[in-house]
Amino acid sequence: AQDLGQPAHPLDEAAAAIDRMELRVLVTGEVNRGKSTFLNALIGTKLFPPRASVCTAVLTCLRDGTPPRGRLRLRNGESQDFRLEEDPSKQLLEVVGKKNPNAAQLAAVELWFPNDYARDGVVIIDTPGVNDREEWRERVTIEALGHSDAVLFLLDAQKPLTASEMSFL
């Protein structure tokens, strides 16, 4: 219709808009609740860097895609593409880990990796979490809530809800 200079059918426009839509699923919880470990179990591979201490300092957005690759999105609007290597978990630890001195300059890390859960517009987002000693990392998570369609809030099954978890919820 556009090539002929004719208006597109409203249903065609609606279908195109739906194709561009994303369902953003945020995975969060307090620090050390196993968010990255949960995501690795969900997708069946070690992609996200799991650690027993605070690890994730940057929003990490997973989409289905081949070949495996990533993109650093900086807060200043710039971006940088990269390839995921043989050990993506170790590679990502250098980028999204709390020991990266430049982590606060990153708005997000986007990943394209073959998986069944982030298909058809679904984006799964790993967060730094809440109740973090570093206020800026907690703020990253809270700001992401406003741009999410669903939230998975992980709890420790062996402990009751903490006061900060209750406050957050």
Side-chain angles (χ1 to χ4, degrees):
Q2 287 178 335
D3 289 345
L4 298 173
Q6 301 297 315
H9 190 276
L11 291 178
D12 292 338
E13 291 176 11
I18 289 170
D19 285 344
R20 289 189 305 270
M21 288 178 31
E22 292 182 333
L23 175 69
R24 298 174 57 84
V25 179
L26 196 75
V27 178
T28 194
E30 286 197 341
V31 295
N32 285 337
R33 288 301 189 249
K35 296 175 291 293
S36 299
T37 301
F38 166 78
L39 288 169
N40 286 336
L42 181 72
I43 64 173
T45 191
K46 188 177 173 187
L47 174 63
F48 296 91
R51 291 284 183 260
S53 62
V54 177
C55 179
T56 304
V58 179
L59 291 179
T60 308
C61 308
L62 174 65
R63 293 173 171 83
D64 181 48
T66 303
R69 63 194 187 283
R71 176 177 297 140
L72 303 176
R73 285 191 17 235
L74 294 125
R75 293 198 179 279
N76 68 7
E78 295 177 15
S79 64
Q80 178 183 356
D81 292 345
F82 63 94
R83 284 186 32 212
L84 286 174
E85 305 296 335
E86 275 187 45
D87 187 353
S89 178
K90 184 177 180 183
Q91 183 183 5
L92 287 175
L93 180 60
E94 301 294 321
V95 176
V96 303
K98 69 176 184 172
K99 292 184 180 179
N100 175 359
N102 300 315
Q105 305 307 316
L106 294 171
V109 174
E110 297 175 299
L111 303 174
W112 288 266
F113 194 86
N115 71 90
D116 292 333
Y117 291 95
R119 289 196 172 146
D120 300 321
V122 174
V123 180
I124 300 172
I125 305 166
D126 191 15
T127 66
V130 294
N131 200 20
D132 194 316
R133 285 183 276 156
E134 292 288 336
E135 182 186 327
W136 71 268
R137 288 194 299 248
E138 182 174 27
R139 191 173 45 246
V140 163
T141 300
I142 291 170
E143 288 172 1
L145 287 169
H147 304 286
S148 301
D149 301 299
V151 176
L152 296 175
F153 190 79
L154 300 186
L155 302 170
D156 186 336
Q158 298 180 353
K159 296 179 184 175
L161 284 171
T162 65
S164 60
E165 287 170 330
M166 289 293 291
S167 174
F168 177 80
L169 289 172

